[in-house]
């Protein structure tokens, strides 16, 4: 019986994956749209309470984010990137006053750690409904799940990424970014608008360090100061970047990159690809660091 239940759970998760990633929001069946609206509404309400009512949150340049989420040009994807200070950054960072946190149609897709958010069929089902895409940490930038993220961008939807790759609660400079985000920018059929966001304070709302008798609090803490700074959009001329990558002289790198295919999807050799991802990641990192210095 236990095996049968597990098999049924994984079958539900498989069907949910096909429904929520293979089609746009409006084309998804009622079996996805209704439970998704209920789940995102509940999670959004939770984020509103914690971020707006229980803590003191200040958001700078919020109008830019609101404009790009609700009224960017049709078919243009949005890719937001931010630092990662706690396990509840998402959804709490979207819970500030005036943001449509409970609107399932406008809500973001987000890359989420497979080993944390997709540990069993029930969690997989819930996080899939919550518009989360599983990413295998250490699985390489061309892993299968990255194709799902590309589908989201190709539909002109909003995708959020934590390009640092893991949570860090220390007040320190932005760490070197993983190349997965840069690869999405290069490989997307329509180049996304990239919007950097930096925040502080969520590490106090949901600290990782010991709290009383537990490793960390079981629920978010209150009466903390949270600051969110939204940057200005970054635009990448993919064609020019590719031409520059081909014309620049590169030294061959001895160590290969895990998950790197023998033939790159963009038709470029490995060294130009590395230059592209390094260059794009560095630009995003610098933009985030400038914002971090203002907090």
């Amino acid at each position: 019986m236990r095996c049968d239940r597990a098999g049924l759970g994984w079958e539900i998760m498989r069907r949910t994956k096909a429904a929520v990633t293979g089609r746009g929001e409006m084309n998804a069946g009622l079996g996805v749209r209704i439970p998704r609206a209920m789940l995102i509404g509940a999670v959004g309400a939770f984020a509103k309470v914690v971020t707006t009512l229980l803590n003191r949150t200040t958001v700078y340049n919020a109008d830019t984010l609101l404009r790009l989420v609700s009224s960017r040009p049709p078919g243009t994807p949005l890719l937001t990137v931010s630092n990662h200070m706690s396990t509840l950054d998402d959804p709490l960072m979207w819970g500030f006053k005036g943001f449509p946190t409970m609107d399932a149609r406008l809500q973001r897709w987000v890359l989420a750690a497979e080993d944390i958010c997709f540990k069993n069929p029930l969690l997989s089902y819930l996080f899939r409904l919550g518009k989360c895409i599983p990413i295998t940490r250490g699985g390489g930038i061309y892993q299968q799940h990255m194709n799902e993220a590309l589908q989201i961008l190709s539909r002109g939807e909003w995708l959020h990424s934590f390009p640092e790759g893991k949570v860090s609660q220390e007040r320190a400079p932005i760490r070197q970014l993983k190349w997965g985000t840069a690869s999405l920018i290069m490989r997307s059929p329509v180049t996304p608008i990239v919007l950097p966001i930096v925040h502080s304070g969520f590490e106090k709302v949901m600290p990782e360090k010991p709290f009383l008798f537990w490793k960390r609090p079981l629920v978010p803490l209150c009466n903390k100061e949270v600051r969110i700074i939204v940057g200005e959009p970054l635009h990448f001329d993919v064609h020019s970047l590719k031409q520059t990558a081909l014309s620049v002289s590169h030294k061959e790198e001895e160590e290969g990159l895990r998950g790197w295919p023998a033939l790159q999807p963009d038709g470029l050799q490995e060294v130009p690809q590395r230059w592209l991802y390094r260059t794009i990641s560095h630009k995003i990192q610098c933009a985030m660091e400038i914002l971090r210095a203002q907090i």
Side-chain angles (χ1 to χ4, degrees):
M1 179 65 69
R2 183 178 304 172
C3 294
D4 291 341
R5 288 178 179 174
L8 178 60
W10 283 112
E11 177 63 17
I12 292 175
M13 189 271 285
R14 184 190 66 80
R15 294 185 180 184
T16 302
K17 170 190 172 183
V20 301
T21 61
R23 303 176 182 177
E25 187 70 28
M26 299 305 297
N27 293 327
L30 291 177
V32 172
R33 291 208 309 268
I34 293 177
R36 169 172 288 164
M38 295 173 62
L39 178 65
I40 289 180
V43 173
F46 165 77
K48 289 283 187 185
V49 169
V50 174
T51 301
T52 304
L53 299 181
L54 299 183
N55 292 281
R56 305 183 302 276
T57 301
T58 305
V59 185
Y60 301 90
N61 197 29
D63 289 344
T64 296
L65 176 61
L66 289 167
R67 172 175 55 82
L68 290 176
V69 166
S70 60
S71 59
R72 64 186 179 277
T76 302
L78 173 64
L79 177 58
T80 52
V81 294
S82 74
N83 57 329
H84 208 358
M85 299 294 286
S86 80
T87 55
L88 285 182
D89 287 350
D90 183 290
L92 296 187
M93 64 185 295
W94 316 119
F96 61 86
K97 185 177 180 180
F99 193 81
T101 312
M102 293 177 283
D103 189 330
R105 183 180 59 86
L106 293 178
Q107 194 51 253
R108 90 289 168 267
W109 292 83
V110 63
L111 304 180
E114 186 176 42
D115 59 322
I116 296 177
C117 302
F118 298 83
K119 294 189 292 186
N120 57 56
L122 178 59
L123 284 178
S124 297
Y125 174 73
L126 293 175
F127 277 99
R128 283 288 188 181
L129 279 181
K131 304 178 80 169
C132 299
I133 299 174
I135 291 297
T136 303
R137 289 188 283 194
I141 61 177
Y142 292 116
Q143 60 180 278
Q144 181 180 358
H145 292 307
M146 292 294 278
N147 292 328
E148 297 179 30
L150 286 172
Q151 290 180 28
I152 300 303
L153 295 176
S154 69
R155 297 200 298 259
E157 298 190 42
W158 170 26
L159 176 69
H160 183 71
S161 170
F162 296 101
E164 291 180 293
K166 63 180 180 180
V167 171
S168 176
Q169 300 200 324
E170 297 182 3
R171 295 184 65 87
I174 301 296
R175 291 165 293 173
Q176 183 175 347
L177 306 186
K178 305 297 184 182
W179 289 356
T181 299
S183 75
L184 291 175
I185 295 171
M186 290 300 303
R187 297 167 59 199
S188 176
V190 180
T191 304
I193 299 172
V194 180
L195 186 67
I197 303 172
V198 170
H199 53 79
S200 70
F202 290 127
E203 74 279 7
K204 299 176 183 178
V205 175
M206 200 67 187
E208 297 284 326
K209 61 184 179 181
F211 180 80
L212 296 178
F213 302 105
W214 297 283
K215 179 180 178 181
R216 65 180 188 181
L218 301 179
V219 296
L221 304 182
C222 60
N223 200 30
K224 306 299 181 182
E225 184 175 355
V226 176
R227 300 181 72 190
I228 302 172
I229 300 182
V230 179
E232 294 300 325
L234 302 176
H235 299 277
F236 292 91
D237 187 336
V238 171
H239 177 73
S240 295
L241 284 170
K242 286 183 178 180
Q243 294 302 313
T244 303
L246 290 171
S247 63
V248 173
S249 176
H250 305 286
K251 294 181 179 179
E252 291 291 339
E253 302 180 28
E254 297 180 357
E255 183 179 354
L257 180 66
R258 182 180 179 185
W260 205 283
L263 179 62
Q264 279 68 48
D266 290 333
L268 297 177
Q269 297 298 318
E270 178 177 340
V271 175
Q273 285 274 18
R274 286 175 179 250
W275 183 89
L276 282 169
Y277 296 159
R278 186 183 299 113
T279 300
I280 293 173
S281 296
H282 180 69
K283 181 175 181 178
I284 297 173
Q285 181 182 356
C286 289
M288 294 174 64
E289 180 58 29
I290 290 173
L291 297 179
R292 188 197 69 85
Q294 300 174 29
I295 291 184

